[in-house]
Amino acid sequence: MNTLAYLSIKELSSLLSRNEITPQEIVQSCINRIEKHDKNLGSTLEIITPKVNNSIEGLSSLHNIPGLIKDNICQKGQITSAGSKILANFISPYAATAVQKLEHAGALSLGRTNCDEFAMGSSNETSAYKLAHNPWDTSRSPGGSSGGSAAAVAAGFVPWALGSETGGSVRQPAALCGLVGSKPTYGRVSRHGLIAYASSMDQIGVFTRTVYDNALVLQTIAGKDHYDSTVIQQESPNYISGLTGELKKGLKIGVVTNALNAKGMHPEMKAQLLLALKKLESLGAELVDVSIPMMEHAAATYFVISRAEAASNLARFDGIRYGYRAKHVDSLQDLYQKSRAEGFGHEVKRRILIGNYVLSAGHAAQYYESACAVRRMIRQEFLDHFAEVDLLFAPVTPAPAFKIGEFAKNPLQMDLQDYFTCSANLAGIPAVSFPCGFVQNLPVGFQLMGPDLSEGLIFQTGYAYEQATEWHTMHPKL
Ligand code: GLN
């Protein structure tokens, strides 16, 4: 049955439609593999056996295809804890719109994946429950905050998983685990039912092992929703139809040279990125060097804005309305304080403190308001470049997966994991990371960023690259 482990959605769906396999066999094979290997990986928090859909075959290729969902995306009637003790017993009364759309397409959820607490982190180490490990080397982190989703897909537990991005939490773990990871345009996917971290950047994204599968899941979850006022009110496009294996005629890719030459970039990593560029060029892309100096201010800008929004969003966890409530309290104030002190982990508290500071009277203009002004400049710089080039090529991370605990004494160093990713979140533009080889037997990736709603072009380009390379066919030995 293990032969099913690394089949794509596309392959599983065609086996199903030819009646060569039953949905129950697929589900059982996934669950067996998780039971056998997840003790070493810690990628899941809860596994549920879904009801397969024996109704007339759905039109969607996701019909009866199992996947996993990050623990900060609500599944109806299931615990959704955002990796936090404060929501340990929170049972969601509704499903996130993205989850509902997947259900509508007949996809099956096998449960929820481990993640950093409230999606705050880059290593999965802030999860209140357990560590997650990188299937390519279990002494290393799978990245974060959607580390569990990435580890589960890379380990062949399921062909797809949902994650969420605020500053890079899908692309970074995807790159560190050798996967395709998409961060759609802000508003492309409804945030309804995604537990908020920093609402002006939060987006649900997708992990898969192939570009086709990623495009399929993203087009399923994207689109209109009256529960989210920031969603783009446009029908979801068909990304699959653009996957021709060829690049768009005359495709111009801007190579972000200041990112590629950034201080601290692993030399072997850079070599892999240059090879990926050569490949894109051989497929017909025109490469032009561009420099985006504003990108160098993105991490600091992201730091301020994300903390400010987090402090506001997390004010709702007061021990009364949701989740954990402290016992033995002597006043209402005491109840609030103890519930929050006992329920939140260290990193979340640190961010709430910083967020309240940057928003406080006397400091807001200096920190929060200037960060918002810089953010507008970052977006403008991207838009100016997209007047000249179709897409931008950049690294996702400066190095392959790091050891668990490597940044324990240096949280600011950990924050630099977002250095190349968070500008796309600040600008609201789509970005997808694609695997492009190995450095010291660990996977690495590059990202393509594009103007608003250019997901189709990004997938088309990534698909042509994927068809010309073999990275997506390589899997870790568990
Ligand atoms: N690592 C970043 C942070 O901790 C990004 C997290 C995310 O995208 N959710 O804020």
Side-chain angles (χ1 to χ4, degrees):
M1 278 298 233
N2 250 351
T3 47
L4 294 182
Y6 284 106
L7 295 187
S8 63
I9 299 175
K10 193 181 182 190
E11 290 162 332
L12 289 170
S13 163
S14 97
L15 288 177
L16 280 173
S17 64
R18 295 199 307 265
N19 283 325
E20 288 176 27
I21 195 166
T22 65
Q24 285 84 353
E25 284 173 306
I26 299 181
V27 166
Q28 204 48 53
S29 145
C30 293
I31 293 181
N32 291 348
R33 195 170 165 82
I34 294 171
E35 281 175 354
K36 182 155 176 219
H37 294 290
D38 205 37
K39 356 181 218 323
N40 304 326
L41 294 180
S43 71
T44 59
L45 291 177
E46 186 182 11
I47 295 302
I48 41 192
T49 307
K51 270 205 225 43
V52 300
N53 243 310
N54 284 323
S55 58
I56 318 120
E57 277 310 288
L59 294 175
S60 159
S61 339
L62 272 165
H63 197 72
N64 281 326
I65 306 291
L68 284 160
I69 292 173
K70 186 176 179 179
D71 189 34
N72 64 348
I73 301 171
C74 291
Q75 305 192 59
K76 187 173 176 174
Q78 304 290 333
I79 289 180
T80 307
S81 75
S84 180
K85 198 176 145 193
I86 210 162
L87 286 174
N89 300 317
F90 171 70
I91 296 179
S92 176
Y94 59 88
T97 298
V99 171
Q100 241 167 23
K101 289 187 188 237
L102 283 166
E103 277 168 9
H104 189 72
L108 307 174
S109 164
L110 284 191
R112 54 198 173 96
T113 53
N114 199 0
C115 62
D116 280 302
E117 187 176 2
F118 284 99
M120 298 178 186
S122 303
S123 65
N124 221 105
E125 290 164 293
T126 76
S127 165
Y129 299 100
K130 55 185 174 186
L131 290 171
H133 301 262
N134 193 313
W136 292 90
D137 173 351
T138 52
S139 70
R140 292 174 191 272
S141 166
S145 62
S146 316
S149 294
V153 176
F157 293 165
V158 283
W160 63 269
L162 294 189
S164 72
E165 272 240 7
T166 304
S169 280
V170 171
R171 284 166 291 154
Q172 181 251 23
L176 301 185
C177 291
L179 302 172
V180 181
S182 53
K183 194 295 273 184
T185 309
Y186 183 77
R188 181 68 285 192
V189 176
S190 168
R191 288 183 294 110
H192 174 64
L194 167 63
I195 295 178
Y197 162 17
S199 315
S200 76
M201 294 178 282
D202 295 342
Q203 273 293 287
I204 293 174
V206 179
F207 292 96
T208 56
R209 293 183 296 265
T210 67
V211 176
Y212 181 99
D213 284 2
N214 209 291
L216 177 68
V217 178
L218 189 63
Q219 76 185 30
T220 305
I221 63 173
K224 299 179 181 178
D225 183 24
H226 56 266
Y227 287 120
D228 174 2
S229 63
T230 59
V231 87
I232 296 167
Q233 296 293 353
Q234 271 180 33
E235 294 297 345
S236 177
N238 185 336
Y239 300 130
I240 296 291
S241 61
L243 306 181
T244 57
E246 314 234 322
L247 295 185
K248 176 185 139 182
K249 278 234 148 32
L251 181 78
K252 223 173 173 183
I253 300 179
V255 181
V256 186
T257 51
N258 55 312
L260 221 53
N261 298 323
K263 215 174 97 210
M265 176 63 100
H266 195 297
E268 285 178 50
M269 169 106 183
K270 183 169 165 191
Q272 282 309 123
L273 294 167
L274 293 176
L275 284 176
L277 280 169
K278 267 225 166 71
K279 180 62 83 180
L280 285 164
E281 197 170 29
S282 75
L283 294 170
E286 182 191 342
L287 305 181
V288 288
D289 284 351
V290 302
S291 168
I292 309 191
M294 282 310 289
M295 228 170 140
E296 283 155 40
H297 303 291
T301 309
Y302 172 78
F303 184 95
V304 172
I305 294 177
S306 61
R307 272 67 175 171
E309 293 187 24
S312 311
N313 274 323
L314 271 56
R316 73 189 67 166
F317 301 103
D318 55 7
I320 302 232
R321 286 171 290 183
Y322 307 88
Y324 181 78
R325 178 177 297 180
K327 297 179 189 66
H328 317 299
V329 296
D330 15 272
S331 66
L332 182 60
Q333 187 67 22
D334 199 33
L335 171 66
Y336 292 150
Q337 285 174 348
K338 286 206 175 114
S339 300
R340 287 167 69 81
E342 292 164 18
F344 287 136
H346 181 74
E347 179 63 20
V348 172
K349 286 180 197 161
R350 220 163 59 95
R351 294 192 187 203
I352 293 173
L353 285 175
I354 296 170
N356 282 319
Y357 178 77
V358 300
L359 287 174
S360 59
H363 297 290
Q366 188 186 356
Y367 294 108
Y368 181 68
E369 286 164 31
S370 7
C372 291
V374 177
R375 177 184 193 169
R376 282 191 291 276
M377 291 162 77
I378 291 173
R379 174 164 166 85
Q380 193 52 52
E381 196 163 88
F382 276 101
L383 297 188
D384 292 347
H385 282 292
F386 292 132
E388 308 291 328
V389 299
D390 297 295
L391 298 174
L392 290 166
F393 175 105
V396 183
T397 61
F402 48 90
K403 292 266 186 198
I404 291 173
E406 192 166 325
F407 302 125
K409 296 215 170 67
N410 196 345
L412 278 180
Q413 198 60 34
M414 178 75 87
D415 289 334
L416 289 180
Q417 282 293 311
D418 312 329
Y419 193 85
F420 299 121
T421 48
C422 66
S423 33
N425 307 79
L426 287 162
I429 58 175
V432 181
S433 70
F434 301 96
C436 70
F438 292 83
V439 167
Q440 291 155 3
N441 296 319
L442 296 167
V444 293
F446 67 83
Q447 61 173 326
L448 293 174
M449 297 176 269
D452 296 343
L453 298 177
S454 64
E455 287 86 349
L457 181 62
I458 297 179
F459 281 134
Q460 178 185 357
T461 310
Y463 183 74
Y465 172 81
E466 180 189 75
Q467 296 307 296
T469 53
E470 299 201 317
W471 312 122
H472 64 290
T473 64
M474 298 178 187
H475 309 301
K477 290 197 183 53
L478 301 188

